[in-house]
Amino acid sequence: MVPHLVTALTGPINELEQRILDSMPAIERWFRLEWMEHTPPFYSSVDIRNAGFKLAPVDTNLFPGGWNNLTPQMLPLAVQSAMAAIEKICPEAKNLLLIPENHTRNTFYLSNVAQLQRIFNMAGLNVRIGSINPEVKEPTEIQLPTGEKVLLEPVIRSKRRLGLKDFDPCTILLNNDLSAGAPGILEDLHEQYLLPPLHAGWSVRRKSNHFRAYEELSKRFGKLLGIDPWLINPMFNKCGEVDFASGTGLDCLQTNVDALLTKVRRKYKEYGINEKPFVIVKADNGTYGMGIMTVRDVKDLEALNRKSKNKMGVIKDGQTVHDVIIQEGVLTNERMNEGVAEPVVYMMDRYVVGGFYRVHAERGTDENLNAPGSSFVPLAFAESSHLPQVGMRGGAAVPNRFYMYGVIARLAMVAASYELEATDPDAEIYE
């Protein structure tokens, strides 16, 4: 099934797509050389926005949920990629312990856990689900809307290992983004492989670090393609020590928002774009679409009401927001039925395995779509996964569009690998 896009296959984005298609051998070699030097994240998903005049990632998740949105046709690729990823890390792996988020009542999220269990089971591993939620004191079976069941079991920690009753895994896969910090039960596991590592969690990770790495890569990649890197890069600023509750630090926010809006206006003028620029202000370590607002004019910040401040001040697990990233807003030019749509690309190891469109009928083209009310339509990397139809002009074929999405998503994945290297507490630092 190829989704029916209302607006996607027209406009200046075709020139960028054509450049990417024409440069395919050089692009694939570029990625190959990057992966010789750097380790890809174990798995990841990237939210992409197609403005019709630029295409850019706006968020990269290193503990992706939503695997249940991938179609059965995408599963073989996910299984092969899982095999390749595990083989590199622990070729003799037999048992895998999957640790999910603590919200055990969200059956939609648990359908994603069931899908991950299925993928790694088909990759040749015994997979069980271990909860680090203190409320889970005994094996708990949860019925899912699909008719499936998920068994959550309490984890058991020995001096150096983590497991379940009668289950000793060599590999532990986290599907928990550690927003509230890394619990002690996951630390000092020197005999087991923990994937992704603890420093990939939001207690350490910052979006500004990720987009700084991405910005540098987009310059190199832009040179390879002979394009302005702005066409694939959302500009950003960062603001630390903001306190939405007390109102302190908001002057820093206003100054940075104003500066970024000015830079975006300049770019729009350069390219003859008649849209109103906007920025997205979001928690630098935010997740789940929380702590996000759209700002179209710096005056909007002066008029922030208490409700908006409260919404911005606290994110998942009750974490208080002090650092924010101010990101150039990228319009989404794609619509599906009556809803605004953005592609989300899923990767395992270095491979694109599929994805979906996040669609929201009640949100505008300049708003965050990761919000209650969004729905998901599979991104059909049809016709032999995501291979482009070489020889066809840019914009002429949907698989070509998806190949372009896969290239931008992989670029964000390389940025994530740089980011993880920079924050690795065990990395040797050379002066």
Side-chain angles (χ1 to χ4, degrees):
M1 171 207 157
V2 173
H4 177 63
L5 299 174
V6 184
T7 52
L9 299 176
T10 58
I13 203 76
N14 291 343
E15 293 168 32
L16 176 61
E17 183 181 313
Q18 195 61 53
R19 191 67 63 96
I20 285 173
L21 290 172
D22 291 345
S23 309
M24 200 190 341
I27 288 170
E28 295 305 325
R29 178 176 181 272
W30 188 89
F31 279 121
R32 202 161 56 242
L33 294 175
E34 285 296 321
W35 297 133
M36 285 172 71
E37 300 290 329
H38 306 280
T39 304
F42 186 78
Y43 57 2
S44 55
S45 69
V46 177
D47 297 358
I48 295 172
R49 305 273 288 209
N50 175 357
F53 53 84
K54 78 179 283 178
L55 180 77
V58 294
D59 215 357
T60 300
N61 190 347
L62 300 184
F63 298 87
W67 289 91
N68 50 311
N69 293 315
L70 302 190
T71 62
Q73 291 87 342
M74 296 175 190
L75 275 187
L77 201 50
V79 170
Q80 287 175 334
S81 303
M83 284 176 175
I86 289 288
E87 209 169 280
K88 279 200 302 195
I89 294 156
C90 182
E92 68 280 5
K94 185 170 126 186
N95 295 337
L96 181 136
L97 178 64
L98 175 55
I99 296 183
E101 294 278 358
N102 285 354
H103 41 63
T104 52
R105 291 178 188 84
N106 185 336
T107 53
F108 187 80
Y109 169 73
L110 290 174
S111 296
N112 145 77
V113 173
Q115 180 82 305
L116 277 171
Q117 186 174 26
R118 186 180 300 112
I119 288 168
F120 285 96
N121 197 246
M122 291 165 80
L125 294 160
N126 301 315
V127 186
R128 281 164 68 177
I129 302 163
S131 177
I132 56 174
N133 185 344
E135 293 174 17
V136 178
K137 294 182 169 64
E138 56 187 42
T140 306
E141 194 171 75
I142 297 171
Q143 183 84 34
L144 302 180
T146 55
E148 291 178 283
K149 292 174 183 172
V150 164
L151 181 66
L152 298 178
E153 300 178 72
V155 295
I156 298 167
R157 174 69 198 247
S158 64
K159 191 173 179 187
R160 298 176 69 82
R161 295 181 77 83
L162 193 66
L164 305 173
K165 190 182 177 188
D166 305 322
F167 187 74
D168 184 32
C170 81
T171 307
I172 298 161
L173 178 62
L174 284 178
N175 196 242
N176 180 319
D177 64 23
L178 309 176
S179 289
I185 198 167
L186 295 178
E187 293 177 337
D188 302 316
L189 294 171
H190 300 300
E191 296 176 358
Q192 291 165 301
Y193 294 97
L194 185 65
L195 306 167
L198 291 180
H199 65 279
W202 283 121
S203 52
V204 174
R205 203 174 164 227
R206 294 293 177 269
K207 294 183 180 184
S208 51
N209 289 341
H210 175 74
F211 282 101
R212 195 171 295 113
Y214 183 84
E215 189 170 60
E216 289 309 308
L217 281 163
S218 68
K219 287 174 187 170
R220 284 174 42 209
F221 198 73
K223 197 174 276 187
L224 176 77
L225 294 184
I227 61 163
D228 178 353
W230 178 74
L231 295 172
I232 56 171
N233 175 50
M235 298 186 289
F236 75 96
N237 283 337
K238 183 190 167 183
C239 221
E241 296 312 307
V242 176
D243 189 325
F244 286 96
S246 69
T248 56
L250 291 183
D251 51 342
C252 160
L253 184 58
Q254 289 172 349
T255 304
N256 279 285
V257 164
D258 196 35
L260 189 56
L261 280 170
T262 302
K263 282 169 79 174
V264 178
R265 274 189 211 103
R266 204 173 292 138
K267 276 291 181 187
Y268 278 21
K269 191 175 178 186
E270 181 186 335
Y271 282 91
I273 295 159
N274 296 317
E275 300 285 352
K276 186 174 172 63
F278 66 101
V279 298
I280 301 291
V281 177
K282 48 189 173 182
D284 206 9
N285 60 335
T287 180
Y288 275 35
M290 298 172 79
I292 296 179
M293 67 176 168
T294 302
V295 181
R296 299 169 186 86
D297 192 304
V298 76
K299 293 193 189 81
D300 298 348
L301 293 171
E302 294 166 14
L304 276 186
N305 58 29
R306 180 176 289 181
K307 187 181 174 189
S308 299
K309 286 178 180 175
N310 289 347
K311 192 178 123 191
M312 284 302 297
V314 179
I315 53 169
K316 187 181 166 217
D317 293 337
Q319 298 298 299
T320 306
V321 175
H322 290 299
D323 295 330
V324 295
I325 180 173
I326 301 133
Q327 191 177 60
E328 173 193 350
V330 182
L331 290 162
T332 179
N333 190 44
E334 295 187 305
R335 300 184 75 83
M336 196 167 294
N337 303 323
E338 295 304 309
V340 175
E342 67 182 5
V344 186
V345 177
Y346 275 63
M347 291 165 290
M348 184 88 70
D349 193 59
R350 58 195 272 193
Y351 307 104
V352 172
V353 298
F356 53 82
Y357 275 101
R358 183 184 286 122
V359 184
H360 207 305
E362 288 158 26
R363 290 283 169 119
T365 56
D366 60 354
E367 292 183 295
N368 166 45
L369 305 186
N370 187 7
S374 58
S375 58
F376 307 95
V377 178
L379 234 178
F381 286 93
E383 317 306 328
S384 65
S385 79
H386 59 289
L387 296 179
Q389 295 182 11
V390 181
M392 293 191 76
R393 306 308 297 163
V398 171
N400 288 352
R401 177 62 35 96
F402 294 160
Y403 175 72
M404 180 168 69
Y405 292 161
V407 167
I408 297 301
R410 284 185 289 162
L411 200 55
M413 179 169 47
V414 178
S417 73
Y418 280 42
E419 178 197 353
L420 289 177
E421 284 168 19
T423 55
D424 185 353
D426 300 323
E428 292 184 41
I429 298 169
Y430 298 96
E431 292 298 331

